[in-house]
Amino acid sequence: MTTYTPMIQQYLQVKADYQDAFLFFRLGDFYEMFFDDAIKASQELEITLTSRDGGSKDRIPMCGVPHHAAPNYIEQLVERGYKVAICEQTEDPKQAKGVVRREVVQLITPGTMMEGKNLSDKENNYIATISAFFNEKFGFAYTDLSTGESKATILSGIEAVLNELSTSGAKEVVIASDFPEDFRRRLQERNTVTLSIENEVTSIQPSLLQDIQDESIEKTVSRLFQYLHRTQKRSLDHLQPVSVYVMDQFMKIDYHSKRNLELTETIRSKGKKGSLLWLLDETKTAMGGRLLKQWIDRPLLNKEEIQYRQNLVETMIGHYFERQDLREKLKEVYDLERLAGRVAFGNVNARDLVQLKKSLQQVPIIQQIVVELGSEEASNLANQLDPCEDITDLLESSIVENPPLSIKEGNIILDGYHQELDSYRDASRNGKTWIAQLERQEREKTGIKSLKIGYNRIFGYYIEVTRANVHLLQEGQYERKQTLANAERYITPELKEKEGLILQAEEKMVELEYEIFTNIRETVKEYIPRLQRLARTVSMLDVLQCFATISEDRHYVKPSFSSDRNLSITNGRHPVVEKVMNSQSYVANDCTMHKERELLLITGPNMSGKSTYMRQVALTSILAQIGCFVPAEKAVLPLFDQVFTRIGAADDLISGQSTFMVEMLEARNALLHATNNSLILFDEIGRGTSTYDGMALAQAIIEYIHHEVGAKTLFSTHYHELTVLAQELPSLSNVHVSAMEQNGKVVFLHKIKEGAADKSYGIHVAQLAELPEALIERAQELLASLEQTETYTKEVSVVKETVQVEDKKEEAQLSFFDSQAEEKKQVKTTNSKEKQIVSKLKSLDILEMTPMQAMNILYDLQKKVRND
């Protein structure tokens, strides 16, 4: 350290506390980075790497970004999972004795972003924390710093933690330094998250813990809040009381099942388009969009809560014009949750407050529309809409309609709001009027029409005369101040006096406006809890109108719930596939399941719609349990506590697991955790291994679900041999997706019918995929040969059994003719040859033979028999 300059020593001292972050070190108008930070940042941000003398013999790597452009660069780094520590000058350089004092004022991380392009309007930006306790119990909590909402729970097992982490979509996880290494490794394998360490757990504001009774949850939440306070170094008054939830309150859908069902993103593109969320999202506010995603992630189990939502949806469907008015007004409501967060965080600007004002102005109108819906549930919601008139009045009277972005350059506060500010403005405006009048007078007095009075920050106000007109001035008329190439600049005592008054007024005016603005912001901050409650109610209204709009436009029906676990869907449709296709061409299907029909074994050709049929049953149940109507003519459903799926094939390359291993692990998860109130979807289980292994596993799984689990199960397969299980398992029924041949090509009917499929149509599907014609013809030849082999196998089996029977008869008869030696000898010879033939047949592995091999062996055997 002693070899470095004082400034570099200061940098290294600050950097020592932020080893895992880029340190943006403020030097004048730039943020500079040094040493390894500079090398890495220059690569990540594609900026020039330079160097500087730092006092040591070697030059120090350095790069930097202008302070006004820093937010863009910070966003790029945070988006890639890095952290950025902002180190500002906290002392006026003019008053500094030695090196200017600098301190880190904020640590920006993936989980603590408050604004910017990376912060999606309709997605939460969660930061989570995990605490490990005894017996694989874990405390889990997460917070969205931009909205202030926080949730916490206790989970059993690391798999449950990984599922919750995936559901929340948290981008950063805070753990203690002694968090188990194997669990830490699994966290990073499963999720792309930034890990942060926080060991200190201090007491936090009691109001945030008012709903927490469990000491483990309190410890977990305290670690998270301590990390936020330590890194953000500012007011977090917008943090809401922690909401404690229990997993059993909601339908459990693990990470794999959410992915397979494409609830919030598609498997292929990882994007929203094509998912259930994409289909449903007719929300008009950002906060409504976030709540919709939360509801999809956590379908309800409480029938009363579901029916409460359903009743409101039904009411809105019945009031079309009121619903349309509501949708129009919701468009004018900005993101109240994040506006409240920015107010508390201290980075709200005047334009944000104008947005808040405009949003609050819509609330009384929205309230009246909801009252006009007429139902009791709607009236209760209307009563929860708080217009916050005091804030609306304050903002209407204080902030101009189109304020600048900066809050430190004035022109924010309305005339008439503050008396002292008005007096400064009057002085400034009158002074500028006087300047304009002086310019006219001097032009008339000198006869110089091009004379002008200008201003710059260095010289203040000045009179400028072009060099060609200088001779028109009288000696001593003005005092020369500056000589330019084509002009001279002058001042007068009177001009300097007026300049002092104007500049003093403008400086004080800007300072006073900033002070007034911060006072307004502090007043608004007191209303944050009310604004957050208002935001929750508006969000709920937004999601419910969205359900009503989708249900009416797409002809969904209100489902009912059975108490005896019966499931009956009449003409059900897959909601997303129906939207993507022309609705007229979509083939609807029934699904009926009850205690004598708990398990459906689905057969049929590839591409015929087996997977779509299975998914639509699951999606119909999920839609019902979030309170939405469902795509069917009629639907009676049980309340499913869990949904498990195994659909599609994918290797888990990171964990080194094959498709078949992934398949078995997902099947294991369902078999271990499903109850008789669960829904299981298994698509082509066992296809990742050999035919007999796969068939045996599939049958064993079906039998285990039937005998041990009792869950409603849809099981699709290409193993037609399994269809005989319907004769042995009383709760299993065969259904198939119908298809037909037309002019040698397959036509999929997409209709589910009772019974097993009669054939596979695999080669026909290959034809549809337009594989080369020669390949198709060869496949048909091979198929014919294989089918013939199966016939030969059966015939050989019959011959084998006949020879064995004849052999036994022959042996029985020999005892009666023991006295005749010649006959005995002949019989012995014949018997020996037949035994050789039988022995040869016994040694054959028919199923492993090609058709040609089978024909050759049969020819040899026949030749031996005839020669005898």
Side-chain angles (χ1 to χ4, degrees), residues 458-713:
I458 297 173
F459 297 115
Y461 284 99
Y462 55 81
I463 299 171
E464 184 174 291
V465 178
T466 59
R467 189 171 293 277
N469 292 314
V470 169
H471 69 280
L472 298 176
L473 296 178
Q474 297 178 12
E475 184 71 26
Q477 187 173 355
Y478 300 141
E479 178 185 340
R480 181 181 281 107
K481 187 67 177 176
Q482 185 183 19
T483 299
L484 302 178
N486 298 315
E488 295 285 346
R489 288 179 176 175
Y490 305 91
I491 59 172
T492 66
E494 189 179 18
L495 182 61
K496 295 308 290 181
E497 181 185 354
K498 211 66 177 177
E499 174 191 298
L501 292 173
I502 295 170
L503 294 183
Q504 184 182 31
E506 288 186 351
E507 183 179 345
K508 288 186 177 180
M509 185 170 62
V510 171
E511 289 177 0
L512 184 56
E513 276 207 65
Y514 178 70
E515 182 184 332
I516 294 168
F517 178 80
T518 55
N519 289 337
I520 293 170
R521 186 177 65 197
E522 289 303 308
T523 303
V524 174
K525 187 187 289 188
E526 297 172 9
Y527 286 78
I528 285 176
R530 288 174 63 180
L531 291 172
Q532 288 172 333
R533 286 193 294 271
L534 171 63
R536 285 195 291 272
T537 305
V538 172
S539 302
M540 188 174 182
L541 276 169
D542 195 10
V543 178
L544 292 171
Q545 70 77 21
C546 154
F547 286 173
T549 299
I550 289 291
S551 298
E552 183 176 48
D553 290 349
R554 307 207 66 81
H555 308 293
Y556 292 0
V557 297
K558 181 179 179 181
S560 59
F561 296 98
S562 62
S563 56
D564 53 4
R565 298 179 55 247
N566 286 349
L567 181 150
S568 176
I569 300 172
T570 304
N571 284 332
R573 292 109 60 197
H574 188 298
V576 180
V577 174
E578 181 190 33
K579 180 177 179 179
V580 173
M581 294 173 58
N582 183 343
S583 298
Q584 301 299 320
S585 63
Y586 189 89
V587 178
N589 277 298
D590 297 346
C591 183
T592 303
M593 303 180 81
H594 43 74
K595 62 182 179 181
E596 287 85 25
R597 189 181 163 99
E598 299 277 18
L599 203 156
L600 296 183
L601 187 65
I602 309 169
T603 51
N606 284 320
M607 288 181 58
S608 59
K610 298 192 299 295
S611 296
T612 300
Y613 176 70
M614 296 168 71
R615 283 189 175 101
Q616 77 185 40
V617 173
L619 292 178
T620 297
S621 298
I622 290 168
L623 282 170
Q625 288 182 226
I626 65 174
C628 187
F629 286 15
V630 300
E633 284 185 8
K634 184 180 179 183
V636 179
L637 303 164
L639 283 172
F640 287 116
D641 61 356
Q642 301 173 88
V643 172
F644 299 94
T645 70
R646 172 56 214 167
I647 300 174
D651 289 356
D652 188 347
L653 299 178
I654 295 174
S655 304
Q657 294 173 348
S658 67
T659 298
F660 184 65
M661 175 57 83
V662 172
E663 183 176 280
M664 290 298 101
L665 289 173
E666 292 183 17
R668 171 185 176 274
N669 184 46
L671 298 175
L672 287 181
H673 298 106
T675 71
N676 64 345
N677 291 317
S678 302
L679 175 64
I680 298 176
L681 310 181
F682 278 166
D683 188 19
E684 305 294 346
I685 285 285
R687 64 182 165 184
T689 185
S690 69
T691 301
Y692 292 121
D693 274 358
M695 195 186 306
L697 278 168
Q699 179 170 338
I701 288 171
I702 290 170
E703 290 174 349
Y704 186 87
I705 293 172
H706 185 277
H707 300 322
E708 304 295 334
V709 181
K712 293 278 190 299
T713 304

Side-chain angles (χ1 to χ4, degrees), residues 392-415:
T392 309
D393 294 342
L394 170 64
L395 297 178
E396 277 185 318
S397 62
S398 60
I399 307 292
V400 299
E401 195 64 26
N402 295 299
L405 272 174
S406 173
I407 59 174
K408 293 186 175 181
E409 295 179 6
N411 300 316
I412 293 174
I413 306 301
L414 281 167
D415 289 342

Side-chain angles (χ1 to χ4, degrees), residues 5 12 35 56 85 128 177 183 188 202 214 349 550 566 575 688 761 845:
T5 61
L12 291 170
F35 300 102
S56 62
S177 56
F183 292 160
Q188 291 179 303
T202 57
D214 190 300
N349 60 36
I550 289 291
N566 286 349
Y761 298 100
D845 188 352

